[in-house]
């Protein structure tokens, strides 16, 4: 006999856990699946700091009793809403604590296959058990979407790795490593490799690396004036971030091309202010370098970049692709092919209703997969606040 539930949440990162806490608060008949906070433990470099500030690096529950601030106070960790960097290990421990307190029945099994059946869905778990759910919320974050440029995909893994693979940095002591990219994964990995004694260089096609603003030292009126010019939001400083952070439903009503442009262009690759201290005056940063090809000759890797002054060939022992993540529905192999075919898409991401529903009735997407519909907010944990409230109200009313 197949067990039936109303809602299945697939994924237990900040979005899945926050939504689970709201569903639990509303008394919904649901189950949440996945290894809690697994991405933060298995796919982020040890020693990394979050780029979001403390107040925006939290999970959400309807009674507001389980914030990062409360966890830090209870466990004696230093905390401030702004200005005290959050180590990734602390964020992981906090997420696990949140799960154990609010969602002790979470099922750590992975969903291997989702198929449509009788107006709902059948979910096959990784041990073969099958469950029926009326509605499914896909909250799988970024893990399926690591992006490696086609030119690099054939390189053997001893020469190439993506920043989402966690490798012990000590392995690279004395080795020459090129890190490609300009986002926080690239910059943090380069800084941590440098600390581990590697000879590192960052190569980016961008004209510079953008770092988030360090906390203001201003006080009183000067601070008030600065905040008027650049208000603070969960996505950082400035009016554009403020609007992206606080008006996701307005954003959803905008024309699709506008949404795509803003989501692509705003809050693109950047690194946290702590990351700056890891690389500044320590790791050479070469800008305007577009990678053309990479080949192995003997025991070395030879990478050719196009630069404003012509081609440049660089020799290295390893190349790290800090080339980020691209949402692509076809990477979600646990969704049965016929379901994936039915999902209306824009740029390989799902087109979503104002309640996160895809064109397949009963199938919802939250987190980074929903960014083209609701804006850059959905690429950050801060977006879980709006998402959990909005979706729970809709599904459990
Ligand atoms: C280097 C780096 C630094 C970042 N720093 C920040 C930051 O400082 N602040 C911030 O807000 N954001 C940061 N981000 C963005 C961050 O990835 C998102 O905020 C976050 O992923 C959103 O949470 P999520 O719940 O959508 O997904 P995730 O945290 O990615 O969690 C997804 C979950 O889904 C599970 N899952 C996947 N497939 C299945 C399946 N088939 N069955 C069951 N479970 C499954 C995974 O195990 C995982 O637990 C950073 C990203 C990177 C790469």
């Amino acid at each position: 006999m197949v067990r039936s539930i109303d809602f299945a949440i697939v994924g237990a990162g900040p979005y899945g856990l926050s939504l689970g806490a709201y569903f639990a608060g509303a008394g919904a008949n649901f189950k949440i699946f996945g290894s809690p906070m697994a991405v933060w433990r298995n796919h982020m470099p040890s020693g990394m700091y979050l780029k979001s500030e403390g107040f925006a690096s939290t999970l959400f529950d309807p009674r507001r009793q389980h914030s990062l601030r409360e966890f830090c106070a209870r466990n004696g960790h230093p905390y401030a809403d702004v200005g005290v960097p959050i180590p990734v290990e602390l964020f992981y421990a906090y997420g696990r604590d949140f799960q154990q307190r609010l969602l002790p029945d979470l099922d750590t099994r992975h969903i291997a296959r989702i198929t449509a059946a009788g107006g709902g869905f059948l979910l096959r778990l990784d041990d073969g058990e099958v469950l029926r759910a009326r509605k499914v919320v896909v909250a799988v974050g970024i893990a399926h979407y690591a992006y490696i440029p086609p030119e690099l995909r054939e390189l053997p893994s001893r020469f190439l790795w993506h920043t989402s693979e966690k490798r012990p940095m000590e392995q690279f002591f004395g080795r020459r490593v090129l890190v490609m990219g300009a986002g926080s994964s690239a910059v943090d990995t380069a800084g941590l490799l440098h600390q581990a004694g590697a000879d590192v260089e960052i190569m980016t096609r961008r004209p510079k690396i953008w770092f988030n603003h360090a906390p203001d030292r201003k006080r009183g009126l000067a601070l008030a004036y600065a905040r008027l010019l650049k208000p603070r939001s969960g996505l950082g400083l400035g009016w554009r971030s403020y609007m992206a952070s606080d008006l996701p439903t307005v954003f959803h009503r905008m024309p699709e091309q506008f949404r795509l442009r803003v989501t692509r262009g705003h809050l693109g690759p950047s690194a946290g202010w702590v990351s700056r201290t890891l690389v500044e005056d320590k790791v050479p940063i070469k800008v305007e370098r577009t990678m053309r090809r990479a080949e192995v000759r003997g025991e070395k890797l030879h990478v050719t970049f196009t630069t404003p002054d012509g081609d440049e060939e660089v020799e290295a022992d390893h190349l790290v692709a800090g080339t980020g993540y691209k949402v692509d529905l076809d990477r979600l192999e646990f969704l049965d092919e016929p379901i994936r075919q039915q999902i209306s898409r824009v740029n390989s991401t799902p087109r979503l209703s104002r309640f996160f529903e895809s064109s397949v009735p009963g199938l919802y997407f939250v987190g980074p997969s929903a960014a083209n519909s609701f804006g850059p907010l959905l690429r950050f944990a801060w977006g879980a606040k709006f998402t959990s409230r909005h979706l729970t109200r809709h599904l459990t009313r």
Side-chain angles (χ1 to χ4, degrees):
M1 166 94 170
V2 175
R3 200 152 50 107
S4 280
I5 50 175
D6 281 341
F7 309 113
I9 301 174
V10 183
Y15 278 83
L17 293 176
S18 300
L19 186 61
Y22 268 76
F23 274 5
N29 170 20
F30 78 103
K31 259 190 110 45
I32 172 168
F33 297 94
S35 178
M37 299 296 280
V39 168
W40 302 84
R41 187 190 52 201
N42 301 334
H43 298 283
M44 308 258 179
S46 312
M48 180 191 107
Y49 288 91
L50 266 63
K51 72 176 175 181
S52 47
E53 296 287 355
F55 79 99
S57 305
T58 192
L59 278 58
F60 300 93
D61 63 284
R63 305 176 122 219
R64 305 269 179 280
Q65 286 175 346
H66 297 272
S67 61
L68 176 65
R69 171 203 285 267
E70 178 277 329
F71 174 78
C72 290
R74 183 157 41 86
N75 292 284
H77 298 292
Y79 173 88
D81 281 346
V82 175
V84 174
I86 313 294
V88 70
E89 290 79 8
L90 173 66
F91 189 56
Y92 170 72
Y94 159 61
R96 287 305 311 258
D97 182 81
F98 182 97
Q99 177 261 311
Q100 281 154 6
R101 287 169 162 252
L102 292 169
L103 299 161
D105 296 333
L106 173 141
D107 191 326
T108 55
R109 288 175 293 177
H110 267 224
I111 302 297
R113 180 67 74 198
I114 300 181
T115 47
F121 301 90
L122 286 179
L123 286 76
R124 185 156 51 78
L125 306 180
D126 54 14
D127 62 358
E129 193 191 334
V130 175
L131 231 126
R132 184 184 293 280
R134 219 160 45 79
K135 299 185 184 222
V136 171
V137 182
V138 177
V140 294
I142 54 171
H144 295 266
Y145 300 135
Y147 176 76
I148 296 188
E151 303 87 327
L152 297 178
R153 287 181 197 156
E154 299 305 317
L155 285 178
S157 64
R158 70 196 156 100
F159 289 105
L160 173 79
W161 48 288
H162 187 270
T163 45
S164 61
E165 285 171 57
K166 200 162 168 167
R167 298 206 179 178
M169 300 289 176
E170 318 78 70
Q171 272 180 2
F172 299 93
F173 177 84
R175 313 287 287 171
R176 175 141 171 72
V177 188
L178 301 180
V179 179
M180 270 175 58
S184 65
S185 327
V187 173
D188 289 338
T189 302
L192 294 164
L193 280 165
H194 169 80
Q195 275 180 3
D199 171 15
V200 196
E201 220 168 14
I202 297 178
M203 314 294 271
T204 171
R205 61 187 171 176
R206 293 174 187 272
K208 63 181 263 197
I209 288 187
W210 278 268
F211 291 96
N212 290 357
H213 296 275
D216 265 315
R217 301 265 166 252
K218 299 186 181 83
R219 292 280 172 273
L221 270 182
L223 180 62
Y225 183 63
R227 282 297 74 84
L228 194 65
L229 295 180
K230 287 190 174 201
R232 181 176 292 289
S233 74
L235 299 186
L237 295 180
W239 281 102
R240 283 208 305 175
S241 294
Y242 185 84
M243 289 199 291
S245 164
D246 284 44
L247 301 172
T249 45
V250 174
F251 188 88
H252 185 270
R253 278 190 227 120
M254 296 291 153
E256 187 166 88
Q257 286 311 314
F258 170 85
R259 283 188 272 124
L260 294 178
R261 210 173 46 246
V262 173
T263 305
R264 199 172 45 238
H266 186 49
L267 298 172
S270 70
W273 54 269
V274 189
S275 311
R276 184 192 281 268
T277 59
L278 284 178
V279 295
E280 207 164 57
D281 302 325
K282 296 175 185 133
V283 176
I285 298 174
K286 291 207 172 151
V287 298
E288 298 185 311
R289 299 297 197 271
T290 303
M291 206 271 304
R292 280 192 40 216
R293 68 172 174 271
E295 56 192 352
V296 178
R297 285 188 228 140
E299 277 309 298
K300 295 282 181 193
L301 196 56
H302 292 259
V303 191
T304 307
F305 294 92
T306 305
T307 81
D309 306 317
D311 280 1
E312 178 185 47
E313 187 179 296
V314 186
E315 191 185 87
D317 296 307
H318 305 277
L319 183 63
V320 181
T323 39
Y325 298 81
K326 269 195 185 161
V327 176
D328 178 355
L329 276 179
D330 287 324
R331 303 281 290 272
L332 301 183
E333 288 177 3
F334 62 86
L335 283 178
D336 204 27
E337 173 91 30
I339 295 190
R340 269 186 274 142
Q341 295 294 340
Q342 275 180 52
I343 301 173
S344 164
R345 306 169 185 213
V346 50
N347 292 353
S348 70
T349 73
R351 255 196 198 97
L352 301 176
S353 76
R354 66 195 172 100
F355 295 113
F356 295 90
E357 192 171 16
S358 69
S359 57
V360 172
L363 183 64
Y364 298 74
F365 289 84
V366 298
S369 299
N372 279 340
S373 295
F374 292 92
L377 168 65
L378 276 281
R379 295 204 304 255
F380 297 88
W382 184 241
K385 180 181 180 183
F386 155 73
T387 304
S388 310
R389 245 192 344 218
H390 192 60
L391 192 51
T392 305
R393 220 179 277 153
H394 170 65
L395 288 177
T396 65
R397 73 189 158 193

